[in-house]
Amino acid sequence: MESQVYAIPDEVMHGTGQQLFDHVAECLGQFLRQQKLHQKVLPLGFTFSFPCVQSQLDKSVLISWTKGFHCSEVEGKDVVHLFREAIRRQGGYDVDVIAIVNDTVGAMMSCGYQDHSCEVGFIVGTGTNLCYMEEMGNVESVEGDEGKMCINTEWGALGDDGELSSVQTEVDEQVDQNSLVPGKQCFDKLVSGMYMGEIVRLILVKLANQGLLFDGTTSQSLLTKGCIETKHVSAIEDDHFGLAAARKMLSVLGLNPSEQDCVNVQHVCSAVSTRSANLCAAGLAAVATRLQLNNHNLKITIGVDGSVYKQHPKFSERLHSALQHLAPECQIKFLISEDGSGKGTAIVTAVAKRLAAQRHQIDDILAPFQLSQAKLEEVKSQMRAEIDIGLCKETHAGATVKMLPTYVRSTPDGTERGDFIALDLGGTNFRVLYVHIGRREDAGVQIVSKTYTLPQEIIQGTGGQLFDHIIDCISEFQSENNLRGRRLPLGFTFSFPCKQTNLDQGILITWTKGFSASGCVGKDVVTLLREAALRKKNNDIIVVALVNDTVGTMMSCGYNDPACEIGLIVGTGTNACYMEELKNVELLDGDEGQMCVNMEWGAFGDNNCLEDITTSFDHDVDTFSINPGKQRYEKMISGMYLGEIVRQILIVLTRRGILFGGKISERLLTRDLFPTRFLSLIESDTLGLVQVRSILTELGLRSTCDDTMLVKEVCTTVSRRAAQLCAAGVAAVVEKMRANRGLDQLKVTVGVDGTLYKLHPHFAGVVQETVKILAPKCDVTFLQSDDGSGRGAALITAVACRIAGAEARAA
């Protein structure tokens, strides 16, 4: 470290703010020229040791002057701006003011460079102050609750509200009245070096006037304010030369002290400095106790600077002793800042510069995930266009959004009755349900269900193995619930793209969600189920309806809310359905009534229409999926892929040295490391950083506090984009329905199911908020399906039975 000290003349300390900062800028210019640095643009850290309200690292508004400064037109102003203006006026060099730092923060950072556990900065010199690292959740003036924030306590003002009146003496009151700022900085005036000598002087004058010192005489010099300084107090308390120092000082003041006078003066100095040390210890004990409660850590390191602590022969010893008495449970270590707060400020500036460079890289990486309203409007328009292509007979074959008729023509009207079996197959777990539908005013819908697991070898084996396993599970369920021998209508929720030609017939177009059972694509899945039932000799199954999970969700919610005409799934995969005007479904004959259309919107973008919002991370996830180039929209939205997008981003951040110390672990290179449930947990508002770090540890990732915050930011960014893209799709649907019906305002309910929507802490809120923005003429209510799409399948089956019964009676 190269440094030089410049004096600040008294007339500058009491002049205008412009004079002060012009003087500092001039001295800075001289120093840069001496060091031959004036032609470089260097980052600058500014130690400014006065009470300020800091809103940014480089923005700080002066509250009030202390320590004898009284420059006009500075209080209430941003001192960094004033300094920058002075540098501009000075000219001849250029610096980048990156950080403004209080001297306590500088001392803490300087010592923290040696000891990373240092979380307190303490100054006791001309003035006194303290800073410490507080938990962000406790700093209510700043948004956010993750990590820590260095707090500048400005404890010199302790007692300005009268709380220290029991400690203050008449001498303290006299010092306060004669100061530049009466009634301010009360604790500072009891403790710091700027006032310690003056307190001693006033006590000596009082004792002399009472005849207890100097044979009752004083001198003009002794009666002069400021004639005794803290350096004199320090010298007088020296064990070896203190009495000689007392005699020398008193003689210079025109007094003729006796030996006893010198001893008494030494005693006065000791009383004043001991009180100062004890008061500092009380403040430190309060902070140490708070840190202990925050961190559950008994070991605390305090970085300390200031002439009183460092140069007074007994101050530090007295302070340590008092602190041990006041906070005996804390193990406190003091580390002296050898190079002053300037070095610490330089370190703050260096850290800020490094973090700014890292932040720039992070922002560049995450920028493609930040979707503007204009971009979301484009996505909505593209989805609307794809809907029309899928509905049109001429263009349907080449459509990516297939818009498949489901042959579901109405939602429940409340008159449905009976007992039904439902089968819900949409992922690696599937459910078998026994559903009793009664009167709404009675029990309504009653359900008994059981969930079964599909092993990996089954979902990636043959179609025969898959459907045989399903029938085995249905038979087991029937036996457990005494349903064997009862031929009940069955509704089959099958959550994969199918081309339906009737309510009980659907040709599988392609597998999704990791399924790849052979011999199924291009086949009627209801026939495959019936054939398996024959092989397994289960004659109790009557398949009435084949239903997509979105349709099941819409029907389930429609039983509770007749306005529900849209079904939305956002879980392992994503899809939507809605009630379209039959005249617009050109694949079918007829112009009257409505038809529920299964959009299969997961394939939106398979024609590259979303390429401008597709990131390199999306391409990576797509490339290594089991269906490259397919289900592009789903891969940006659904829970099956979000965690993998996050993992790819974390790898890039780690390779750039921003995360995990730049070390890529084997675990981080493991595909599907981040299941959606971990994303939901990491983004939870109820979890602190400690719990989030434990989740990362469970995943084999050793993280720092900063790593944890960044991982959470990445998760939030990815999930927010997913929710916004989902909302753009919903907005396209509701606007289409509004246009179909020629309405100025549409009121409609969306039935929703899926783990991502239901369990993620923010996904649902972002979807709803974005739909309001993108479809302002639609009043959209989102209703979660409590019983999944299985209940909906039973209700569709009941509706089909009701309609069939009515048609039979009419015939």
Side-chain angles (χ1 to χ4, degrees):
M1 184 170 77
E2 298 289 336
S3 67
Q4 187 166 334
V5 176
Y6 293 87
I8 301 179
D10 193 64
E11 61 271 18
V12 173
M13 290 175 63
H14 298 90
T16 66
Q18 182 169 326
Q19 287 176 310
L20 172 65
F21 288 106
D22 281 348
H23 175 73
V24 175
E26 181 183 352
C27 295
L28 174 60
Q30 289 177 15
F31 179 79
L32 291 173
R33 284 187 289 273
Q34 287 170 8
Q35 300 293 328
K36 295 182 172 53
L37 297 171
H38 57 288
Q39 293 182 334
K40 294 184 178 181
V41 180
L42 295 175
L44 182 140
F46 183 16
T47 306
F48 189 74
S49 307
F50 302 92
C52 290
V53 174
Q54 200 159 346
S55 55
Q56 297 174 22
L57 193 56
D58 64 346
K59 186 172 184 180
S60 198
V61 174
L62 177 65
I63 298 171
S64 61
W65 285 115
T66 58
K67 306 174 190 175
F69 280 73
H70 204 66
C71 300
S72 62
E73 299 174 10
V74 181
E75 292 180 356
K77 303 280 185 68
D78 175 15
V79 294
V80 173
H81 175 73
L82 296 176
F83 188 27
R84 283 173 173 157
E85 287 295 299
I87 291 170
R88 183 185 56 78
R89 287 192 297 271
Q90 181 68 24
Y93 65 89
D94 192 9
V95 295
D96 183 12
V97 184
I98 286 181
I100 181 168
V101 179
N102 186 275
D103 55 352
T104 56
V105 181
M108 181 186 74
M109 293 296 283
S110 177
C111 295
Y113 189 69
Q114 304 169 52
D115 182 345
H116 293 178
S117 66
C118 181
E119 292 197 340
V120 181
F122 168 49
I123 300 282
V124 57
T126 305
T128 185
N129 196 12
L130 177 137
C131 72
Y132 73 101
M133 298 302 292
E134 177 61 85
E135 298 297 314
M136 271 291 285
N138 298 329
V139 187
E140 296 183 2
S141 58
V142 178
E143 289 186 12
D145 58 1
E146 304 297 342
K148 295 183 179 184
M149 173 69 75
C150 181
I151 298 295
N152 168 23
T153 66
E154 287 299 338
W155 77 359
L158 178 66
D160 288 4
D161 57 357
E163 286 295 316
L164 295 181
S165 58
S166 61
V167 176
Q168 292 168 307
T169 67
E170 61 180 47
V171 171
D172 296 313
E173 292 172 2
Q174 194 174 348
V175 168
D176 178 53
Q177 289 303 313
N178 293 334
S179 70
L180 287 171
V181 282
K184 304 292 184 183
Q185 296 298 108
C186 290
F187 190 67
D188 195 34
K189 290 168 184 173
L190 295 171
V191 166
S192 71
M194 185 172 183
Y195 302 98
M196 198 180 290
E198 184 62 8
I199 293 172
V200 168
R201 184 189 73 82
L202 291 172
I203 293 172
L204 297 185
V205 170
K206 183 176 181 179
L207 291 173
N209 288 337
Q210 291 177 355
L212 300 174
L213 277 178
F214 318 132
D215 293 329
T217 64
T218 59
S219 66
Q220 190 60 43
S221 295
L222 182 63
L223 297 175
T224 303
K225 178 184 174 183
C227 66
I228 299 178
E229 299 176 19
T230 304
K231 65 180 181 180
H232 298 130
V233 176
S234 297
I236 290 169
E237 288 196 64
D238 184 87
D239 285 336
H240 302 292
F241 307 106
L243 292 177
R247 182 176 296 280
K248 180 180 178 180
M249 181 197 74
L250 295 170
S251 298
V252 170
L253 293 176
L255 297 166
N256 185 22
S258 66
E259 192 69 23
Q260 188 60 46
D261 285 336
C262 293
V263 171
N264 290 339
V265 168
Q266 190 178 55
H267 185 67
V268 170
C269 291
S270 176
V272 172
S273 64
T274 298
R275 182 186 70 163
S276 171
N278 288 343
L279 288 172
C280 285
L284 285 168
V287 173
T289 303
R290 182 172 185 85
L291 287 174
Q292 181 194 350
L293 291 173
N294 283 349
N295 305 331
H296 308 290
N297 188 359
L298 298 177
K299 294 183 178 180
I300 298 167
T301 299
I302 299 173
V304 60
D305 200 359
S307 55
V308 173
Y309 185 94
K310 292 163 77 172
Q311 295 173 14
H312 190 285
K314 298 181 178 179
F315 187 91
S316 61
E317 181 185 336
R318 291 168 181 161
L319 184 146
H320 298 167
S321 175
L323 185 55
Q324 177 62 36
H325 177 72
L326 294 170
E329 69 284 358
C330 297
Q331 300 174 38
I332 300 172
K333 179 174 79 172
F334 285 83
L335 196 59
I336 293 177
S337 174
E338 298 293 349
D339 299 305
S341 54
K343 177 181 173 182
T345 301
I347 292 169
V348 171
T349 307
V351 171
K353 188 180 179 187
R354 172 176 61 80
L355 292 179
Q358 286 188 354
R359 185 69 250 177
H360 184 70
Q361 289 190 67
I362 293 166
D363 290 343
D364 282 348
I365 290 168
L366 297 182
F369 291 89
Q370 314 285 347
L371 300 179
S372 65
Q373 182 177 338
K375 184 57 68 177
L376 290 169
E377 294 280 3
E378 285 181 28
V379 174
K380 180 184 79 170
S381 298
Q382 289 168 328
M383 176 67 87
R384 177 71 182 274
E386 294 295 321
I387 288 173
D388 292 337
I389 292 170
L391 288 172
C392 177
K393 190 172 185 177
E394 291 182 3
T395 55
H396 175 81
T400 54
V401 180
K402 287 298 183 183
M403 305 300 293
L404 304 170
T406 66
Y407 294 85
V408 173
R409 299 172 185 269
S410 65
T411 54
D413 65 3
T415 63
E416 293 79 15
R417 302 285 185 274
D419 294 335
F420 305 89
I421 294 289
L423 173 62
D424 187 358
L425 175 63
T428 52
N429 293 326
F430 76 98
R431 287 200 306 160
V432 183
L433 305 90
Y434 167 59
V435 182
H436 172 76
I437 303 175
R439 289 166 23 115
R440 280 179 175 163
E441 54 270 30
D442 296 332
V445 178
Q446 296 175 292
I447 295 175
V448 177
S449 69
K450 184 174 181 178
T451 300
Y452 296 88
T453 299
L454 287 172
Q456 197 73 8
E457 60 270 19
I458 293 290
I459 67 174
Q460 295 182 355
T462 67
Q465 290 173 319
L466 173 63
F467 284 97
D468 283 353
H469 181 76
I470 290 170
I471 292 296
D472 285 340
C473 294
I474 294 174
S475 299
E476 178 185 306
F477 180 83
Q478 290 172 322
S479 297
E480 289 176 354
N481 291 280
N482 299 317
L483 297 174
R484 295 307 294 264
R486 293 184 63 186
R487 301 196 74 217
L488 298 177
L490 183 145
F492 184 11
T493 303
F494 187 74
S495 307
F496 301 92
C498 285
K499 181 180 179 180
Q500 279 190 255
T501 53
N502 210 327
L503 187 60
D504 65 345
Q505 186 177 48
I507 309 300
L508 177 63
I509 297 171
T510 182
W511 284 117
T512 57
K513 307 175 191 175
F515 280 66
S516 59
S518 62
C520 298
V521 174
K523 301 286 183 66
D524 174 20
V525 294
V526 174
T527 298
L528 294 175
L529 184 66
R530 286 169 174 161
E531 288 174 348
L534 286 174
R535 284 195 299 273
K536 294 291 183 176
K537 298 181 172 52
N538 187 328
N539 300 315
D540 297 331
I541 294 175
I542 310 170
V543 183
V544 172
L546 178 69
V547 182
N548 183 274
D549 54 353
T550 55
V551 183
T553 297
M554 180 187 74
M555 295 294 280
S556 179
C557 293
Y559 184 78
N560 299 319
D561 181 353
C564 182
E565 296 186 75
I566 302 172
L568 171 65
I569 299 287
V570 197
T572 306
T574 183
N575 194 16
C577 70
Y578 71 100
M579 298 302 292
E580 177 60 85
E581 304 305 309
L582 185 58
K583 63 184 178 183
N584 295 331
V585 186
E586 295 184 7
L587 293 178
L588 302 178
D589 295 330
D591 292 330
E592 299 299 325
Q594 294 179 319
M595 170 66 72
C596 178
V597 174
N598 166 22
M599 296 178 67
E600 288 299 337
W601 78 359
F604 178 41
D606 287 4
N607 58 358
N608 294 322
C609 67
L610 297 179
E611 192 60 29
D612 61 331
I613 63 167
T614 303
T615 70
S616 61
F617 305 104
D618 296 311
H619 282 299
D620 287 340
V621 169
D622 178 54
T623 299
F624 293 102
S625 67
I626 63 170
N627 55 349
K630 304 294 184 183
Q631 300 295 109
R632 301 290 289 276
Y633 187 58
E634 181 171 80
K635 288 170 184 172
M636 292 182 176
I637 290 178
S638 72
M640 186 172 183
Y641 301 98
L642 294 191
E644 189 59 15
I645 295 173
V646 167
R647 187 182 72 86
Q648 296 287 349
I649 295 172
L650 298 187
I651 288 173
V652 170
L653 290 170
T654 306
R655 283 179 175 153
R656 294 194 185 184
I658 298 172
L659 261 183
F660 308 131
K663 298 176 182 176
I664 296 182
S665 66
E666 285 297 320
R667 289 282 286 161
L668 190 56
L669 294 174
T670 305
R671 282 185 54 75
D672 302 322
L673 174 69
F674 277 89
T676 305
R677 66 186 182 90
F678 280 122
L679 264 68
S680 298
L681 284 172
I682 287 170
E683 291 187 60
S684 172
D685 293 329
T686 60
L687 290 189
L689 280 185
V690 173
Q691 290 106 321
V692 174
R693 285 179 74 181
S694 69
I695 292 171
L696 294 177
T697 301
E698 185 180 336
L699 294 171
L701 302 173
R702 297 184 63 183
S703 63
T704 65
C705 176
D706 288 339
D707 289 340
T708 306
M709 292 171 67
L710 182 51
V711 169
K712 188 168 185 175
E713 180 184 353
V714 170
C715 292
T716 300
T717 301
V718 171
S719 65
R720 181 172 180 81
R721 182 192 68 159
Q724 289 177 319
L725 287 174
C726 179
V730 173
V733 171
V734 296
E735 284 290 359
K736 174 76 164 68
M737 294 176 72
R738 187 178 69 84
N740 284 347
R741 300 171 191 185
L743 299 173
D744 292 331
Q745 193 77 21
L746 173 71
K747 186 177 178 63
V748 68
T749 296
V750 179
V752 196
D753 202 359
T755 52
L756 185 58
Y757 187 94
K758 294 166 80 171
L759 301 181
H760 189 282
H762 305 297
F763 193 94
V766 175
V767 170
Q768 294 168 25
E769 159 197 315
T770 308
V771 168
K772 282 183 181 178
I773 295 169
L774 298 179
K777 294 183 179 181
C778 299
D779 182 5
V780 183
T781 300
F782 288 82
L783 181 62
Q784 290 191 25
S785 172
D786 293 328
D787 300 304
S789 52
R791 183 176 94 149
L795 285 163
I796 291 173
T797 305
V799 170
C801 291
R802 170 174 58 81
I803 293 172
E807 290 173 347
R809 286 191 297 274

mmCIF file of all heavy atoms in Angstrom, residues 724-745:
data_model
loop_
_atom_site.group_PDB
_atom_site.id
_atom_site.type_symbol
_atom_site.label_atom_id
_atom_site.label_comp_id
_atom_site.label_asym_id
_atom_site.label_seq_id
_atom_site.Cartn_x
_atom_site.Cartn_y
_atom_site.Cartn_z
ATOM 1 N N GLN A 724 -44.835 -17.276 -17.177
ATOM 2 C CA GLN A 724 -45.248 -16.232 -18.129
ATOM 3 C C GLN A 724 -45.606 -16.834 -19.487
ATOM 4 O O GLN A 724 -46.580 -16.419 -20.122
ATOM 5 C CB GLN A 724 -44.123 -15.210 -18.289
ATOM 6 C CG GLN A 724 -43.921 -14.325 -17.067
ATOM 7 C CD GLN A 724 -42.750 -13.376 -17.238
ATOM 8 O OE1 GLN A 724 -41.697 -13.738 -17.762
ATOM 9 N NE2 GLN A 724 -42.916 -12.145 -16.787
ATOM 10 N N LEU A 725 -44.812 -17.817 -19.946
ATOM 11 C CA LEU A 725 -45.120 -18.467 -21.220
ATOM 12 C C LEU A 725 -46.432 -19.243 -21.139
ATOM 13 O O LEU A 725 -47.235 -19.231 -22.080
ATOM 14 C CB LEU A 725 -43.984 -19.406 -21.616
ATOM 15 C CG LEU A 725 -42.692 -18.734 -22.103
ATOM 16 C CD1 LEU A 725 -41.598 -19.764 -22.314
ATOM 17 C CD2 LEU A 725 -42.944 -17.953 -23.389
ATOM 18 N N CYS A 726 -46.658 -19.893 -20.020
ATOM 19 C CA CYS A 726 -47.926 -20.595 -19.809
ATOM 20 C C CYS A 726 -49.089 -19.602 -19.865
ATOM 21 O O CYS A 726 -50.114 -19.851 -20.498
ATOM 22 C CB CYS A 726 -47.885 -21.311 -18.458
ATOM 23 S SG CYS A 726 -49.389 -22.208 -18.046
ATOM 24 N N ALA A 727 -48.908 -18.453 -19.224
ATOM 25 C CA ALA A 727 -49.951 -17.422 -19.204
ATOM 26 C C ALA A 727 -50.224 -16.884 -20.606
ATOM 27 O O ALA A 727 -51.382 -16.586 -20.950
ATOM 28 C CB ALA A 727 -49.532 -16.284 -18.280
ATOM 29 N N ALA A 728 -49.185 -16.755 -21.428
ATOM 30 C CA ALA A 728 -49.382 -16.284 -22.803
ATOM 31 C C ALA A 728 -50.274 -17.251 -23.571
ATOM 32 O O ALA A 728 -51.137 -16.840 -24.365
ATOM 33 C CB ALA A 728 -48.034 -16.129 -23.504
ATOM 34 N N GLY A 729 -50.085 -18.573 -23.325
ATOM 35 C CA GLY A 729 -50.941 -19.570 -23.954
ATOM 36 C C GLY A 729 -52.383 -19.458 -23.486
ATOM 37 O O GLY A 729 -53.326 -19.494 -24.298
ATOM 38 N N VAL A 730 -52.584 -19.306 -22.174
ATOM 39 C CA VAL A 730 -53.936 -19.156 -21.622
ATOM 40 C C VAL A 730 -54.595 -17.894 -22.179
ATOM 41 O O VAL A 730 -55.774 -17.900 -22.550
ATOM 42 C CB VAL A 730 -53.896 -19.117 -20.081
ATOM 43 C CG1 VAL A 730 -55.283 -18.793 -19.524
ATOM 44 C CG2 VAL A 730 -53.400 -20.437 -19.519
ATOM 45 N N ALA A 731 -53.827 -16.803 -22.259
ATOM 46 C CA ALA A 731 -54.365 -15.541 -22.777
ATOM 47 C C ALA A 731 -54.837 -15.707 -24.217
ATOM 48 O O ALA A 731 -55.875 -15.159 -24.622
ATOM 49 C CB ALA A 731 -53.308 -14.439 -22.687
ATOM 50 N N ALA A 732 -54.079 -16.466 -25.023
ATOM 51 C CA ALA A 732 -54.492 -16.714 -26.409
ATOM 52 C C ALA A 732 -55.822 -17.458 -26.450
ATOM 53 O O ALA A 732 -56.700 -17.159 -27.272
ATOM 54 C CB ALA A 732 -53.412 -17.515 -27.133
ATOM 55 N N VAL A 733 -56.002 -18.432 -25.557
ATOM 56 C CA VAL A 733 -57.231 -19.229 -25.528
ATOM 57 C C VAL A 733 -58.432 -18.378 -25.131
ATOM 58 O O VAL A 733 -59.484 -18.416 -25.790
ATOM 59 C CB VAL A 733 -57.073 -20.437 -24.575
ATOM 60 C CG1 VAL A 733 -58.413 -21.144 -24.378
ATOM 61 C CG2 VAL A 733 -56.034 -21.408 -25.114
ATOM 62 N N VAL A 734 -58.300 -17.602 -24.043
ATOM 63 C CA VAL A 734 -59.457 -16.834 -23.573
ATOM 64 C C VAL A 734 -59.828 -15.730 -24.570
ATOM 65 O O VAL A 734 -61.016 -15.415 -24.747
ATOM 66 C CB VAL A 734 -59.224 -16.259 -22.157
ATOM 67 C CG1 VAL A 734 -59.073 -17.385 -21.147
ATOM 68 C CG2 VAL A 734 -58.017 -15.324 -22.098
ATOM 69 N N GLU A 735 -58.828 -15.156 -25.228
ATOM 70 C CA GLU A 735 -59.131 -14.144 -26.245
ATOM 71 C C GLU A 735 -59.833 -14.781 -27.446
ATOM 72 O O GLU A 735 -60.709 -14.172 -28.065
ATOM 73 C CB GLU A 735 -57.842 -13.443 -26.695
ATOM 74 C CG GLU A 735 -57.299 -12.429 -25.691
ATOM 75 C CD GLU A 735 -58.164 -11.183 -25.583
ATOM 76 O OE1 GLU A 735 -59.182 -11.074 -26.304
ATOM 77 O OE2 GLU A 735 -57.847 -10.313 -24.749
ATOM 78 N N LYS A 736 -59.459 -16.017 -27.788
ATOM 79 C CA LYS A 736 -60.140 -16.741 -28.872
ATOM 80 C C LYS A 736 -61.594 -16.993 -28.503
ATOM 81 O O LYS A 736 -62.511 -16.788 -29.328
ATOM 82 C CB LYS A 736 -59.418 -18.080 -29.108
ATOM 83 C CG LYS A 736 -60.089 -19.016 -30.106
ATOM 84 C CD LYS A 736 -59.858 -18.557 -31.531
ATOM 85 C CE LYS A 736 -60.175 -19.642 -32.560
ATOM 86 N NZ LYS A 736 -61.587 -19.978 -32.670
ATOM 87 N N MET A 737 -61.832 -17.411 -27.257
ATOM 88 C CA MET A 737 -63.205 -17.665 -26.812
ATOM 89 C C MET A 737 -64.023 -16.381 -26.811
ATOM 90 O O MET A 737 -65.203 -16.387 -27.199
ATOM 91 C CB MET A 737 -63.184 -18.294 -25.408
ATOM 92 C CG MET A 737 -62.551 -19.680 -25.375
ATOM 93 S SD MET A 737 -62.417 -20.355 -23.697
ATOM 94 C CE MET A 737 -64.134 -20.717 -23.342
ATOM 95 N N ARG A 738 -63.408 -15.282 -26.382
ATOM 96 C CA ARG A 738 -64.117 -13.986 -26.372
ATOM 97 C C ARG A 738 -64.499 -13.568 -27.791
ATOM 98 O O ARG A 738 -65.622 -13.121 -28.048
ATOM 99 C CB ARG A 738 -63.237 -12.924 -25.719
ATOM 100 C CG ARG A 738 -63.942 -11.587 -25.494
ATOM 101 C CD ARG A 738 -63.019 -10.601 -24.808
ATOM 102 N NE ARG A 738 -61.940 -10.172 -25.681
ATOM 103 C CZ ARG A 738 -62.050 -9.186 -26.579
ATOM 104 N NH1 ARG A 738 -63.208 -8.546 -26.730
ATOM 105 N NH2 ARG A 738 -61.028 -8.864 -27.332
ATOM 106 N N ALA A 739 -63.546 -13.748 -28.722
ATOM 107 C CA ALA A 739 -63.817 -13.396 -30.122
ATOM 108 C C ALA A 739 -64.908 -14.299 -30.709
ATOM 109 O O ALA A 739 -65.780 -13.830 -31.458
ATOM 110 C CB ALA A 739 -62.529 -13.507 -30.939
ATOM 111 N N ASN A 740 -64.857 -15.602 -30.379
ATOM 112 C CA ASN A 740 -65.882 -16.542 -30.868
ATOM 113 C C ASN A 740 -67.281 -16.061 -30.512
ATOM 114 O O ASN A 740 -68.221 -16.183 -31.314
ATOM 115 C CB ASN A 740 -65.685 -17.919 -30.235
ATOM 116 C CG ASN A 740 -64.517 -18.688 -30.841
ATOM 117 O OD1 ASN A 740 -63.996 -18.318 -31.881
ATOM 118 N ND2 ASN A 740 -64.127 -19.774 -30.176
ATOM 119 N N ARG A 741 -67.417 -15.540 -29.302
ATOM 120 C CA ARG A 741 -68.747 -15.202 -28.785
ATOM 121 C C ARG A 741 -69.107 -13.746 -28.988
ATOM 122 O O ARG A 741 -70.187 -13.300 -28.586
ATOM 123 C CB ARG A 741 -68.817 -15.578 -27.300
ATOM 124 C CG ARG A 741 -68.568 -17.062 -27.102
ATOM 125 C CD ARG A 741 -68.408 -17.482 -25.670
ATOM 126 N NE ARG A 741 -67.927 -18.868 -25.581
ATOM 127 C CZ ARG A 741 -67.773 -19.545 -24.472
ATOM 128 N NH1 ARG A 741 -68.065 -18.976 -23.304
ATOM 129 N NH2 ARG A 741 -67.336 -20.788 -24.504
ATOM 130 N N GLY A 742 -68.205 -12.970 -29.592
ATOM 131 C CA GLY A 742 -68.488 -11.566 -29.886
ATOM 132 C C GLY A 742 -68.728 -10.731 -28.648
ATOM 133 O O GLY A 742 -69.583 -9.836 -28.646
ATOM 134 N N LEU A 743 -67.982 -11.016 -27.577
ATOM 135 C CA LEU A 743 -68.197 -10.330 -26.302
ATOM 136 C C LEU A 743 -67.181 -9.210 -26.091
ATOM 137 O O LEU A 743 -66.018 -9.326 -26.501
ATOM 138 C CB LEU A 743 -68.079 -11.323 -25.140
ATOM 139 C CG LEU A 743 -69.071 -12.492 -25.124
ATOM 140 C CD1 LEU A 743 -68.714 -13.461 -24.007
ATOM 141 C CD2 LEU A 743 -70.491 -11.966 -24.958
ATOM 142 N N ASP A 744 -67.616 -8.131 -25.435
ATOM 143 C CA ASP A 744 -66.680 -7.083 -25.018
ATOM 144 C C ASP A 744 -65.854 -7.558 -23.835
ATOM 145 O O ASP A 744 -64.685 -7.198 -23.695
ATOM 146 C CB ASP A 744 -67.440 -5.804 -24.638
ATOM 147 C CG ASP A 744 -68.086 -5.155 -25.853
ATOM 148 O OD1 ASP A 744 -67.527 -5.316 -26.963
ATOM 149 O OD2 ASP A 744 -69.144 -4.522 -25.698
ATOM 150 N N GLN A 745 -66.497 -8.344 -22.973
ATOM 151 C CA GLN A 745 -65.816 -8.864 -21.778
ATOM 152 C C GLN A 745 -66.225 -10.313 -21.572
ATOM 153 O O GLN A 745 -67.419 -10.640 -21.590
ATOM 154 C CB GLN A 745 -66.195 -8.034 -20.545
ATOM 155 C CG GLN A 745 -65.324 -8.267 -19.328
ATOM 156 C CD GLN A 745 -63.964 -7.584 -19.406
ATOM 157 O OE1 GLN A 745 -63.807 -6.641 -20.162
ATOM 158 N NE2 GLN A 745 -62.997 -8.048 -18.636
#
